[in-house]
């Protein structure tokens, strides 16, 4: 059996842990990034809804106006028809009745005209609202694009850093006993990226549970790897 300098091995593991801790944090951050982009996208899409509803209202008002214009044209046609009939009437009574009917039709036409004018005003107002909304959305789109770019830049930054860290890792791992490395990596993946921790003031810095003095003595003897009884992480003493 090859003799292992356990103290030196622990030193390598501690070094490896600083790298792995950074890898763990960066990977977690990177995993959240697509969700951030989605959220930003969704918020921008939500902001566009108001414009869509304004544009629908505009179409609706324009259609109403067109209908009213057609209605007015047919009303005016009616009045003209009555006008020509007026002179063909034989009795004064008929003449008066027809005049009265024409007055009624003219009053109707005037109501429709007023409504058309109102609709013109409403269309103008909504066109103005749409122009403002489009300008606002332009600014929102600029903000959204910038946010997205920032996130993508950060992802790239994380990926570059991860590649660096992986390279550093590869320089250290050949110095570590394979079984020990396997144990370390197993704990790393089961314990939130933290496999080796110090004991400070008789407590494990991984889970804060009490570490008895006899266990601390065992750590200091460097005869075998000592793990925390509660969280299973490898324990070591700093500056020993
Ligand atoms: Zn622990």
């Amino acid at each position: 059996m090859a003799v292992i300098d356990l103290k030196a091995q622990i030193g390598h593991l501690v070094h490896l842990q600083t790298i792995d801790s950074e890898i763990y944090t960066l990977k977690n951050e990177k995993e959240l990034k697509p969700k951030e982009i989605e959220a930003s996208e969704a918020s921008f899409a939500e902001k566009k809804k108001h414009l869509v509803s304004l544009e629908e209202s505009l179409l609706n008002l324009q259609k109403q106006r067109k209908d009213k214009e057609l209605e007015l044209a047919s009303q005016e046609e009616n009045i003209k028809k009555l006008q020509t009939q007026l002179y063909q009437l034989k009795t004064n009574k008929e003449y008066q009745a027809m005049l009265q009917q024409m007055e009624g039709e003219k009053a109707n036409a005037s109501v429709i005209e007023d409504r058309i004018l109102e609709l013109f005003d409403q269309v103008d107002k909504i066109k103005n609202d749409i122009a403002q909304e489009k300008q606002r959305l332009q600014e929102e789109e600029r903000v959204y694009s910038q946010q997205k770019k920032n996130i993508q830049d950060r992802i790239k930054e994380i990926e570059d850093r991860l590649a660096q860290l992986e390279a550093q890792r590869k320089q250290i791992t050949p110095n570590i006993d394979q079984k020990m490395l396997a144990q370390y990596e197993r704990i790393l993946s089961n314990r939130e990226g933290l496999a080796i921790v110090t004991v400070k003031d008789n407590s494990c810095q991984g889970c804060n549970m009490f570490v008895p003095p006899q266990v601390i003595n065992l750590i200091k003897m460097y005869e075998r790897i000592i793990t925390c009884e509660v969280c299973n992480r490898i324990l070591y003493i700093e500056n020993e």
Side-chain angles (χ1 to χ4, degrees), residues 182-220:
Q183 184 183 1
Y184 165 90
E185 284 180 338
R186 203 169 50 243
I187 303 169
L188 197 70
S189 67
N190 291 336
R191 290 282 179 265
E192 291 89 37
L194 191 59
I196 181 164
V197 294
T198 55
V199 178
K200 232 185 230 165
D201 304 324
N202 282 87
S203 77
C204 162
Q205 295 304 289
C207 67
N208 287 319
M209 293 306 282
F210 178 71
V211 180
Q214 58 268 37
V215 172
I216 293 175
N217 283 337
L218 283 176
I219 298 170
K220 287 177 179 171

Side-chain angles (χ1 to χ4, degrees), residues 54-79:
L54 285 176
E55 280 169 340
E56 278 169 3
S57 302
L58 176 62
L59 284 179
N60 183 29
L61 287 173
Q62 283 170 330
K63 190 188 171 300
Q64 280 184 45
R65 191 175 72 191
K66 195 156 197 181
D67 289 347
K68 284 290 164 194
E69 280 167 349
L70 288 174
E71 207 182 320
L72 181 62
S74 97
Q75 195 73 14
E76 279 166 348
E77 195 59 36
N78 275 346
I79 295 169

Side-chain angles (χ1 to χ4, degrees), residues 76-86 98 102:
E76 279 166 348
E77 195 59 36
N78 275 346
I79 295 169
K80 241 190 239 166
K81 224 188 272 168
L82 292 176
Q83 190 84 48
T84 54
Q85 288 169 6
L86 194 61
M98 180 72 89
M102 277 178 67

Side-chain angles (χ1 to χ4, degrees), residues 30 33-34 37 150-160:
K30 193 186 152 190
K33 292 295 167 193
I37 292 181
N150 289 347
I151 296 170
Q152 281 163 343
D153 287 352
R154 178 61 186 151
I155 291 173
K156 178 78 180 63
E157 203 175 89
I158 291 173
E159 280 167 352
D160 290 350

Side-chain angles (χ1 to χ4, degrees), residues 122-236:
Q122 285 173 352
V123 163
D124 279 350
K125 191 191 165 302
I126 215 155
K127 276 184 176 168
N128 196 29
D129 289 349
I130 286 173
Q132 276 181 11
E133 187 62 12
K134 278 186 175 163
Q135 209 162 16
R136 196 181 71 86
L137 279 177
Q138 241 175 20
E139 173 59 17
E140 293 288 359
E141 185 162 24
R142 205 189 55 74
V143 170
Y144 160 65
S145 303
Q146 187 59 50
Q147 270 175 354
K148 195 167 152 184
K149 190 186 171 301
N150 289 347
I151 296 170
Q152 281 163 343
D153 287 352
R154 178 61 186 151
I155 291 173
K156 178 78 180 63
E157 203 175 89
I158 291 173
E159 280 167 352
D160 290 350
R161 180 64 185 150
L162 282 173
Q164 275 179 4
L165 291 167
E166 290 295 346
Q168 286 178 21
R169 209 177 187 277
K170 282 203 180 98
Q171 291 189 325
I172 301 168
T173 48
N175 303 320
I176 303 170
D177 172 73
Q178 285 205 353
K179 267 173 106 176
M180 227 180 267
L181 184 62
Q183 184 183 1
Y184 165 90
E185 284 180 338
R186 203 169 50 243
I187 303 169
L188 197 70
S189 67
N190 291 336
R191 290 282 179 265
E192 291 89 37
L194 191 59
I196 181 164
V197 294
T198 55
V199 178
K200 232 185 230 165
D201 304 324
N202 282 87
S203 77
C204 162
Q205 295 304 289
C207 67
N208 287 319
M209 293 306 282
F210 178 71
V211 180
Q214 58 268 37
V215 172
I216 293 175
N217 283 337
L218 283 176
I219 298 170
K220 287 177 179 171
M221 285 165 76
Y222 291 106
E223 281 179 351
R224 57 185 175 89
I225 281 195
I226 307 297
T227 56
C228 171
E229 283 178 9
V230 180
C231 71
N232 229 10
R233 293 184 175 100
I234 300 166
L235 297 174
Y236 75 100

